[in-house]
Amino acid sequence: MITLTLKEQPRVPLEAEAISPDVMAKLRHDEIRAVPMFLGKRQRRLDDFFEVEGEASEDLEIRGDVGKVKWIGRGMTRGRIRVAGNAGMHLGAYMKGGTIDVSGNAADWVGGEMSGGLIRIGGNAGGQVGAAYRGSLTGMQGGTILIEGSAGLEVGMRMKRGIIAVKGSVRDFPGLQMKGGTIILGGAELRTGAWMIRGTILSLRPIPLLPTFAYNCNYNPSFLRLYAKHLQIQGFSIPHEEGDGAYLLYSGDAAVSQKGEILIWQPRASS
Amino acid sequence: MLRITGGRVYDPANGIHGEVKDVCISDGRIVAEVEGTGVRTIDASGMVVFPGGVDVHTHVAGAALNFARAMTPENQREAVKFIHSPELRAGIGGITPTTFATGYLYAGLGYTTVNEAAVPILSARHTHEELRDTPIVDKSCCVLMANNELVLDLLEEGETERAKQVVAWLIWAAKGYGVKAVNPGGVAAWKWGKDAKILSEPVEGYSKVTPAKIIASLAAIVNDLQLPHPLHIHCNNLGAPGNISTTLETMKLLEGYRAHMAHLQFHAYGGDGWNSLRSEAATLAEYFNAHPNLTADAGAILFGNSVTITADGPWQHLLYQLTGHKWGNLDVENETGCGIVPYVYKGSNLVNAVQWAVGLELLLLINDPWRIFLTTDHPNGACFWRYPEIIHLLMDVDFRRERVRKLPAKALKRIVLGDLDREYTLSEIAVITSAGPARALGLSRKGHLGPGADADVAIYNENPDRELMFRYPRYVLKGGQVVVEEGAIRKVVDGREFIVHPSFDENIEEYLRPLFEQYYTMSFDNYPVEMHRVEGADIRECG
């Protein structure tokens, strides 16, 4: 295992795409220390910012508040990163495989345009979780993002595949221009699923809906049993038993298509 | 003073085809001989020496290109980065390079002169400011005129002489070099949601003005004004199946005038729908070969990512509907418009495969290299830094056939590229990339290496891999200074701008002033580009 301990918070964000198992797996201790990273426009070394222990491993642990360290695990394909503290923007962006665990909060763009792997955030996440970068037509294309707390704007914007599950509530525009995949929310603010073409958004609490979503029926989709089983292992529970209640299915967004679905959990009224 | 020695020189304008001879430079110009001490020598043994490249039709500055840059951040993330250094400004390459990077990339390819082919007068000031920030290369601008309502109104009234005065005044106001006609009448009609598809039918909003009238009138005006570059025309029905008839009709209208046909590849299609689209390059080339009044540039496409940007608004709307990709539309008051749609050309797509073949077929079927020039209508067909890929395809028939075989089987029945044996020689490449376009632009000091020419020289390592050879020149000289060495920018110099000053009756301003007050958002006095905005202006008096 390689342990990186932050010496002190950088004053401007540190570009740390080199903190990835793919980069570190074959490096010796002194090579890891010399890995280049940009602080603003200046090129510096990893050991200017971190104490380094260990070498040549796909298992990384980062200690300290790296809330200003960007691009951790960018494009990683394997291995594991654990962050004991907060993580900065673009955590696991373009990730293809492996696991990232963050015990604290994560900033914006967690798993931006990722295509595989698992990201778990113990606290809250910022906006644009699993989203498409500006201008791109497609966001997240696979993998799983699990958030224990809340999240910000545009969660899953233009996502095409994969799962994003947020226990808490999210802000406006979850699933904006979504093309596929599944977003599970503990509630949301405004304009959920705006311009969604396909895909599923599931809310465990009532949410305000756009007028372009039409009520369809009450049902308990069978695929949810599978999802529930899968997410249960990760500590996320989704209600799906008929005895407990049903989902109200709304179809939309009629502004672009009727193929997207928003499911809102309605517990059975206790008698 | 500088002497380039030992290289095989290709200077087709002066009848030199690969002779080993010295090229001498003094004070930024080519001279017959340099003597005395302090003569630096570049040993070009094993290399070929070309005049610096001239791009007759490209889009490197202005409002439309900026709109394209803003619309495609996803391309810019993938683009080559230019890191700020003591010599270089920061920038990015990619499909729509930033201003400074455009200069570096063109120079890095051996190109030293570029013609920005579509400048609305209203955004000319901004265009010149961007061109000032496009270093190394010399520049010129073609000004959009075929949908200018001031001009069209005069043609409607039959006031041809006054239209000529207005055109001349507008060219000088924009500090332009030539006149460009884009989809004549079609962009004006687009403001009514229409297009101008038939050359003999009146343009929407007019009763007498037809595309044919606009084309013939502008060609005559450009002729009368004695501009160095003839009318630069983008025909109606760009990109549409069966547009060969429109293109031929346009060429017939131009009989008796010189004209430059822009990006001919997009205008040489047969068939009556996307499913029946086929190459008509042979038909077009046959007519073109028999009409020496015309020049053209290829507007070839290459497979991959691109952004289409053109003043042809109605076409862009159609392209957006076809692709479902992003679409931008700009209206430029009384003058023109512009549409932007990012596009990916795919080898597996039947239409794209035919387009790819048509560009190469035109370059191979038009016999006289002095009349067809290498372009991709950057960034529409492909980026200018991909020109070496086209050179490779032109120079190597086996490589070309191998590529043709990879096209969809259906496409092979609609093209003739597989049957063409012609291979370009190095001399012919020097013609289509430099000598020819320089002559078409009327730039007497460009495109050759005779005494008096600007000392713009590209020196390439002789290499059987033509793509590699032309991608990385060994040296590039601009105005006698070594600006590129082994693929790296050594020195950044400022480029000049070529401008024409056609003669016109000053009283035309009395006619224009009230029209401006009535129709324009900009005041008349603020409209012309001030001379001091143009850096390194090289003014030519005409008429």
Side-chain angles (χ1 to χ4, degrees):
Chain A
M1 191 173 80
I2 299 168
T3 310
L4 306 174
T5 309
L6 189 71
K7 291 176 181 171
E8 58 175 320
Q9 276 263 10
R11 281 180 56 217
V12 295
L14 181 67
E15 314 278 323
E17 64 273 19
I19 303 182
S20 150
D22 294 70
V23 177
M24 303 288 184
K26 285 188 178 143
L27 297 186
R28 294 190 315 269
H29 183 79
D30 56 329
E31 288 170 328
I32 293 173
R33 291 182 53 162
V35 162
M37 36 186 65
F38 272 88
L39 181 71
K41 64 178 180 181
R42 292 181 214 293
Q43 189 175 323
R44 306 276 293 271
R45 287 162 55 100
L46 185 140
D47 65 0
D48 290 337
F49 307 98
F50 294 96
E51 306 280 359
V52 182
E53 284 170 45
E55 61 179 0
S57 168
E58 291 184 6
D59 194 356
L60 314 183
E61 184 164 319
I62 305 169
R63 295 180 185 155
D65 182 1
V66 286
K68 272 196 172 167
V69 179
K70 298 205 275 191
W71 301 108
I72 293 171
R74 178 186 168 133
M76 66 188 268
T77 60
R78 59 203 160 120
R80 177 173 176 158
I81 298 177
R82 273 170 295 177
V83 180
N86 300 329
M89 284 166 73
H90 310 292
L91 177 84
Y94 305 111
M95 176 171 175
K96 295 186 184 71
T99 309
I100 300 178
D101 274 302
V102 176
S103 66
N105 301 328
D108 298 345
W109 300 102
V110 170
E113 296 189 16
M114 72 188 282
S115 54
L118 170 67
I119 302 177
R120 270 189 297 246
I121 310 292
N124 304 326
Q128 289 85 20
V129 173
Y133 280 109
R134 298 302 180 202
S136 295
L137 299 181
T138 310
M140 179 169 175
Q141 299 206 50
T144 309
I145 302 176
L146 305 171
I147 297 163
E148 295 284 337
S150 64
L153 296 167
E154 296 177 355
V155 168
M157 182 247 289
R158 297 193 197 134
M159 76 185 280
K160 199 171 186 178
R161 280 180 199 278
I163 307 174
I164 299 174
V166 187
K167 274 193 183 164
S169 183
V170 300
R171 293 182 59 203
D172 298 354
F173 287 114
L176 176 65
Q177 287 186 301
M178 184 172 177
K179 300 168 172 188
T182 307
I183 302 177
I184 298 162
L185 305 170
E189 290 182 17
L190 298 176
R191 304 189 185 92
T192 300
W195 283 347
M196 76 188 284
I197 297 164
R198 276 176 181 275
T200 306
I201 300 173
L202 191 145
S203 178
L204 303 185
R205 286 183 203 89
I207 53 171
L209 284 178
L210 284 166
T212 44
F213 280 84
Y215 171 72
N216 230 330
C217 63
N218 279 22
Y219 87 137
N220 285 58
S222 45
F223 75 83
L224 268 187
R225 292 175 173 276
L226 200 66
Y227 274 51
K229 214 169 167 181
H230 173 66
L231 290 171
Q232 193 67 52
I233 302 166
Q234 309 287 351
F236 271 68
S237 59
I238 309 174
H240 58 278
E241 296 292 347
E242 267 171 51
D244 298 335
Y247 286 93
L248 310 180
L249 169 64
Y250 292 85
S251 299
D253 181 344
V256 287
S257 110
Q258 293 275 27
K259 292 176 186 163
E261 52 185 19
I262 296 182
L263 298 164
I264 298 172
W265 176 245
Q266 197 177 44
R268 183 179 292 274
S270 50
S271 51
Chain B
M1 287 187 290
L2 187 70
R3 180 192 295 273
I4 301 164
T5 180
R8 286 203 293 133
V9 176
Y10 288 89
D11 182 11
N14 293 308
I16 295 164
H17 304 285
E19 293 164 29
V20 176
K21 71 187 281 280
D22 289 359
V23 174
C24 298
I25 293 166
S26 176
D27 290 332
R29 299 286 190 96
I30 308 280
V31 291
E33 192 53 59
V34 283
E35 286 170 355
T37 53
V39 178
R40 189 188 154 195
T41 303
I42 289 179
D43 181 7
S45 307
M47 303 179 198
V48 297
V49 180
F50 269 40
V54 178
D55 199 335
V56 76
H57 185 108
T58 182
H59 301 284
V60 291
L65 190 72
N66 267 337
F67 197 3
R69 287 170 179 144
M71 263 176 66
T72 55
E74 73 276 21
N75 292 337
Q76 291 166 27
R77 280 194 290 278
E78 294 165 7
V80 174
K81 269 82 179 166
F82 287 85
I83 306 290
H84 167 84
S85 73
E87 297 81 32
L88 300 191
R89 298 277 283 258
I92 49 171
I95 296 160
T96 52
T98 53
T99 52
F100 284 92
T102 300
Y104 305 150
L105 286 166
Y106 259 118
L109 207 58
Y111 272 69
T112 49
T113 309
V114 299
N115 180 40
E116 160 57 56
V119 179
I121 307 157
L122 258 175
S123 61
R125 178 175 283 107
H126 177 84
T127 306
H128 287 296
E129 293 191 336
E130 274 193 53
L131 290 177
R132 187 175 64 194
D133 282 350
T134 306
I136 305 177
V137 290
D138 290 338
K139 292 133 304 202
S140 58
C141 295
C142 285
V143 183
L144 292 166
M145 211 64 86
N147 293 281
N148 187 305
E149 289 174 18
L150 298 179
V151 177
L152 298 197
D153 287 353
L154 287 169
L155 296 181
E156 174 88 354
E157 304 293 323
E159 294 202 54
T160 320
E161 174 56 28
R162 187 174 269 171
K164 181 180 130 186
Q165 299 296 330
V166 169
V167 168
W169 186 87
L170 289 170
I171 294 169
W172 179 241
K175 303 294 175 281
Y177 183 78
V179 173
K180 170 84 177 290
V182 170
N183 186 0
V187 185
W190 178 233
K191 299 181 188 201
W192 304 76
K194 303 281 168 42
D195 196 356
K197 293 183 178 300
I198 299 171
L199 299 190
S200 56
E201 278 187 5
V203 173
E204 192 72 23
Y206 292 90
S207 61
K208 294 186 195 128
V209 176
T210 60
K213 188 177 174 67
I214 301 172
I215 295 163
S217 305
L218 283 177
I221 287 171
V222 171
N223 213 37
D224 285 355
L225 293 173
Q226 297 173 20
L227 300 187
H229 183 50
L231 180 64
H232 194 114
I233 180 162
H234 154 147
C235 299
N236 301 64
N237 290 328
L238 174 140
N243 62 9
I244 179 71
S245 58
T246 311
T247 311
L248 290 173
E249 213 180 318
T250 306
M251 289 179 169
K252 282 177 189 145
L253 288 167
L254 292 164
E255 278 179 23
Y257 300 110
R258 292 168 64 224
H260 179 82
M261 313 298 293
H263 39 71
L264 215 44
Q265 178 275 126
F266 289 107
H267 303 278
Y269 308 145
D272 48 18
W274 297 111
N275 290 324
S276 58
L277 183 96
R278 63 173 190 274
S279 164
E280 286 290 352
T283 319
L284 191 58
E286 190 184 44
Y287 181 92
F288 190 91
N289 283 333
H291 290 81
N293 58 316
L294 301 173
T295 58
D297 62 86
I301 70 141
L302 289 169
F303 300 127
N305 237 341
S306 76
V307 188
T308 64
I309 83 171
T310 167
D312 199 338
W315 164 253
Q316 291 296 68
H317 183 247
L318 182 72
L319 192 60
Y320 156 68
Q321 287 177 321
L322 284 172
T323 60
H325 214 304
K326 293 183 249 190
W327 172 50
N329 185 63
L330 282 173
D331 174 47
V332 189
E333 295 195 22
N334 311 302
E335 297 180 354
T336 178
C338 155
I340 292 152
V341 180
Y343 193 81
V344 185
Y345 293 100
K346 293 186 184 128
S348 56
N349 176 306
L350 182 60
V351 171
N352 294 162
V354 172
Q355 290 181 304
W356 176 82
V358 170
L360 298 168
E361 287 171 3
L362 286 169
L363 281 158
L364 294 163
L365 287 168
I366 291 174
N367 300 327
D368 183 1
W370 287 94
R371 295 203 288 126
I372 177 91
F373 315 128
L374 176 60
T375 70
T376 54
D377 190 15
H378 165 80
N380 288 286
C383 229
F384 64 81
W385 44 258
R386 295 182 68 188
Y387 287 171
E389 295 175 40
I390 300 175
I391 294 176
H392 190 187
L393 287 162
L394 293 175
M395 293 190 74
D396 186 340
V397 69
D398 295 331
F399 174 68
R400 193 164 70 224
R401 291 227 169 98
E402 189 189 309
R403 289 301 172 93
V404 169
R405 276 196 291 274
K406 287 183 181 160
L407 299 178
K410 247 179 154 180
L412 299 180
K413 295 186 191 128
R414 307 190 180 185
I415 60 175
V416 295
L417 187 60
D419 304 332
L420 304 179
D421 297 326
R422 183 172 166 198
E423 284 183 334
Y424 267 68
T425 61
L426 280 174
S427 229
E428 286 174 327
I429 294 295
V431 176
I432 64 166
T433 59
S434 174
R439 187 176 285 181
L441 285 167
L443 295 170
S444 56
R445 278 156 49 190
K446 299 289 181 192
H448 71 103
L449 298 172
D454 287 338
D456 298 352
V457 188
I459 305 173
Y460 303 94
N461 283 316
E462 178 77 81
N463 188 336
D465 182 341
R466 302 304 189 187
E467 184 183 335
L468 201 66
M469 169 172 167
F470 285 100
R471 192 175 290 285
Y472 302 106
R474 179 68 177 78
Y475 299 98
V476 179
L477 280 73
K478 171 68 183 22
Q481 309 217 46
V482 177
V483 290
V484 173
E485 212 175 324
E486 301 223 51
I489 303 281
R490 282 282 172 263
K491 185 175 175 63
V492 177
V493 296
D494 286 329
R496 286 175 296 162
E497 263 207 70
F498 299 110
I499 291 169
V500 293
H501 186 193
S503 65
F504 53 84
D505 179 3
E506 300 278 338
N507 291 327
I508 195 67
E509 297 199 356
E510 298 317 308
Y511 167 78
L512 287 168
R513 187 180 292 273
L515 290 177
F516 263 78
E517 279 160 15
Q518 201 174 348
Y519 297 124
Y520 269 80
T521 55
M522 187 186 261
S523 87
F524 184 67
D525 295 315
N526 286 338
Y527 186 71
V529 178
E530 304 87 341
M531 206 62 236
H532 67 83
R533 299 260 182 184
V534 183
E535 190 159 291
D538 185 318
I539 304 169
R540 183 189 304 206
E541 303 288 336
C542 294

